[in-house]
């Protein structure tokens, strides 16, 4: 009778070069095609990720030029203007194909993180006038996390 724990002949990786990363990527692609994530569930997941910092105040989107602005005839590729408010803190942001720039009001120095889902956050520094810039525009869903002293403010998640 053979021993059930005997591994002889059952080498899981005979060549020692099995690429688990490639297998994982193929499985992700297959799942995306065969069983796509419902948009409502994706939005719930993105919103939940935004609240992982429970001490942060959530800044409300009070102006979005895609929704609130009157279009100007002949203007193509206009920058997207966003305004967020959280109590006495206002964050004005302009998103263009070249990057983003903004200002914290009232003016103060701050650290701003551009959150982009599971990717690492991009860190920006606002000067004493509250101004900041980034050379690359956000891609996909993004949010901003503002650190001023002991205060943390997180914006709503938006699509770039």
């Amino acid at each position: 009778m053979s021993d059930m724990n005997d591994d002889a002949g059952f080498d899981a990786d005979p060549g020692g070069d099995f690429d688990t990363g490639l297998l994982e990527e193929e499985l992700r692609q297959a799942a995306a095609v065969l069983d796509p994530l419902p948009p409502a569930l994706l939005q719930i997941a993105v919103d939940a990720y935004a609240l992982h910092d429970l001490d942060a105040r959530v800044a409300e989107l009070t102006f979005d030029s895609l929704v609130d602005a009157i279009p100007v005839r002949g203007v193509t590729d206009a920058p997207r203007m966003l305004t967020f408010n959280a109590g006495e803190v206002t964050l004005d942001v302009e998103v263009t194909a070249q990057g983003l720039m903004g200002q914290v009001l009232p003016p103060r120095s701050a650290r701003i993180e551009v959150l982009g889902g599971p990717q690492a956050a991009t860190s920006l520094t606002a000067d004493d006038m509250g101004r900041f810039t980034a050379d690359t525009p956000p891609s996909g869903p993004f949010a901003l996390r503002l650190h001023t002293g002991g205060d943390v403010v997180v914006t709503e998640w938006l699509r770039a």
Side-chain angles (χ1 to χ4, degrees):
M1 178 171 200
S2 88
D3 187 348
M4 295 296 279
N5 293 328
D6 187 11
D7 290 331
F10 295 103
D11 190 0
D13 190 7
D17 58 355
F18 185 74
D19 187 358
T20 57
L22 180 61
L23 175 61
E24 181 180 349
E25 181 59 30
E26 288 180 7
L27 289 172
R28 283 183 195 278
Q29 290 176 1
V33 170
L34 299 174
D35 189 20
L37 190 62
L41 183 59
L42 178 61
Q43 185 61 47
I44 289 170
V46 168
D47 290 343
Y49 180 78
L51 295 176
H52 79 279
D53 189 355
L54 294 178
D55 292 335
R57 292 183 298 153
V58 177
E60 178 185 0
L61 178 65
T62 56
F63 178 81
D64 184 347
S65 62
L66 290 181
V67 177
D68 302 319
I70 298 172
V72 177
R73 188 175 78 190
V75 175
T76 60
D77 198 28
R80 184 174 184 187
M81 307 298 290
L82 305 165
T83 300
F84 299 94
N85 287 313
E88 72 284 348
V89 176
T90 299
L91 185 60
D92 286 326
V93 181
E94 179 178 317
V95 181
T96 67
Q98 291 75 36
L100 63 86
M101 71 173 109
Q103 185 172 18
V104 179
L105 297 169
R108 62 181 86 173
S109 59
R111 185 170 55 90
I112 295 107
E113 295 174 280
V114 181
L115 309 174
Q119 298 92 8
T122 303
S123 188
L124 308 172
T125 303
D127 63 15
D128 291 339
M129 296 299 295
R131 300 172 298 197
F132 60 92
T133 61
D135 294 336
T136 56
S139 60
F142 75 98
L144 302 172
R145 182 181 299 134
L146 172 70
H147 299 269
T148 59
D151 219 9
V152 179
V153 175
V154 179
T155 68
E156 299 178 29
W157 282 82
L158 298 168
R159 288 215 170 266

